[in-house]
Amino acid sequence: MAGATSPSAAANLAGKSGVRVVVIGDPGTGKSSLVVALATEQFPENVPRVMPPTRLPADYFPDRVPITIIDTSSSPEQKPKLIAECQAADAVVLTYACDRPATLERLSSFWLPELRRLQLKTPVIVVGCKLDLRDEQQVSLEQVMAPIMQSFREIETCIECSALRQIQVPEVFYYAQKAVLHPTAPLFDQEAQSLKPRCVRALKRIFILCDNDKDGALSDVELNEFQVRCFSAPLQPTEISGVKRVVQEKMPEGVNDNGLTLTGFLFLHALFIEKGRLETTWTVLRKFGYDNDIKLRDDLIAMPIKRAPDQTLELTSEVVDFLRGIFNMFDVDNDGALLPSELEDLFSTAPENPWSSDPYKDCAEKNVLGGLSLEGFLSKWALMTLRDPTNSYANLVYVGYPGEFSSAFTVTRKRRVGRKKQQTQRNVFQCYVFGARGSGKTSLLQSFIGRQPSDALPSNSERFATNSVELPDGTRKTLILREIPEGDVRSLLSDRESLAPCDVAVFVYDSCDEYSWQRARDLLVQVATHGENTGYEVPCLIVAAKDDLDQCAQALQESTRVSHDMGIETPIPISVKLRDLNNIFCRIVHAAQQPHLSIPETEAGKTRRQYRQLLNRSLMVVSVGAAVAVVGIAAYRVYAARKNSSS
């Protein structure tokens, strides 16, 4: 593999149209002289205290990206300006004077800690100026800088130069530019001397994409195609042989009879990086769409579909079939479930496993070995698509989906339209679960994914549970339960569109606790009122949990009366402990499928409805009266015309 970056690739270098380099350091270390010597290629006799911004043209370095160099003053009164310049920098050149050891010590005692205090993420190039004045008895640069670089990993490289003798002056800023366009930190762990996990995952995906015959190795033809794609230049047969020979000598398993293996491919990139040829690996990554965080660029995964707040995206049948194939491919033991290790392998070409943290980590049903069934697997994808379609699409691409965004998702019909048509076409329903703390909300979610209530850790944050629900007619729908903590309701309903993504709301109360019912009733009224005021009304169900305990008669009577008054189904009793769930999940889906039913109506809502009906009747009376008057006038005119003609 070649290591040069072609001009055509330059436009895509880290998405940068220019690089801003800020030069800092103690007074008298040679900052301004360094900048002048670079710009004029000669040593200045009279150097200004601070140089104005200096811009190098795009063709100054091979990557063809212009550089702007900002000189700074170290005086205390200029510190705010220096801080602002550092915060706006793409790279920092930190200087010391080779003939003044005190300025070298100040790197560790002041400058580098100060940059850390500012929480800068930019690479640092340490530059020893006035190389011509350095005492030959001094230890080498490597010996001096090794302990400093060990403590401060943000240092990208170190170099010595002389503005007077024109020694390595351009190289200082070449390394600064290179640190921005081809940074080491995302690719390589200096301490472990190995490729970083995210880099390995990206290169593994690239390897798989280039392994056209899927035999686990890149043949000579595939290697050549890869080379042309990334560097616009073919490899000669002798070069291919040379590459494989180097790999085989250092790592025998890196080459087999079919060609270069993944192990060998990764070894080559580690070798390039160790030899300072980071531009080779970065060119490959960028050619395959990766940014500096080693994730696919935003423009490649951006969501081009516009949708209303009450519209969602669902996976197309094409993607569901693709995911079924992926599931079967990685179900190595063929037991109908993906073990954690198999799931990690499936996502090993993504930057990380997207389901390793909340809300996806424990949101679906698992078997006793921790395996995820196909239904659970598809349900998690449905949840990710509902919550973050862009992330869902990105991960589809990472695991090998070849299609465009538009072929991956379908846009659902607006909920308001579904309510008017009295039916919905959706396959994925989201249910908000409300209730007081301790009412049984979490137990309901846990039972939905086959877990005991005791399996859930106490939490004040929202939870999700997703699963497939089989309906009486044999069809299956995906249901997503989202638990709304009691303390989050106020902030949720402060957003006008907060109920737009909700297909049905469930209000859970502890049937042996009157206060729990009162809170559920208050929450029901708040949600119903919000829906009436915003136009995002949702079907609602009341669930009387803990039916195995002694019932509170007052709560039972009151909940029955309220449900009747608001025009919704009477409370549904369930007992998670006895596993008597009264077919609750089918009933939730049924309510979501008939969005015109089970809509609660508040007293204010009734008053408004009655007023509208009265107004409509009044308008109708006025319309009929006007029509009668018009008919009367027309009849009179006919009569008058006839009378005139007869006379």
Side-chain angles (χ1 to χ4, degrees), residues 264-284:
F265 187 71
L266 295 174
F267 168 77
L268 271 180
H269 283 281
L271 190 63
F272 290 142
I273 293 168
E274 286 176 13
K275 292 183 177 297
R277 291 170 56 190
L278 289 97
E279 62 273 13
T280 299
T281 300
W282 274 118
T283 299
V284 170

Side-chain angles (χ1 to χ4, degrees), residues 24-26 72-76 78-87 92 94 105-122 124 151-152 154-155:
I24 65 173
D26 277 354
T72 61
S73 169
S74 311
S75 61
Q78 292 294 316
K79 187 172 181 179
K81 189 172 189 306
L82 184 144
I83 290 174
E85 292 292 3
C86 286
Q87 290 173 332
V92 170
L94 175 56
E105 293 169 6
R106 284 262 297 169
L107 300 184
S108 300
S109 64
F110 174 74
W111 286 106
L112 291 164
E114 179 69 7
L115 292 176
R116 274 194 182 172
R117 187 186 67 79
L118 296 174
Q119 297 183 335
L120 294 186
K121 302 297 182 186
T122 50
V124 177
S151 301
F152 297 93
E154 54 268 46
I155 298 175

Side-chain angles (χ1 to χ4, degrees), residues 260-303:
L260 186 72
T261 66
L262 174 61
T263 303
F265 187 71
L266 295 174
F267 168 77
L268 271 180
H269 283 281
L271 190 63
F272 290 142
I273 293 168
E274 286 176 13
K275 292 183 177 297
R277 291 170 56 190
L278 289 97
E279 62 273 13
T280 299
T281 300
W282 274 118
T283 299
V284 170
L285 290 169
R286 288 182 181 129
K287 188 59 73 170
F288 281 85
Y290 287 90
D291 61 17
N292 266 20
D293 294 322
I294 317 190
K295 296 170 104 173
L296 288 175
R297 297 196 318 270
D298 290 344
D299 62 295
L300 297 178
I301 56 173
M303 185 174 67

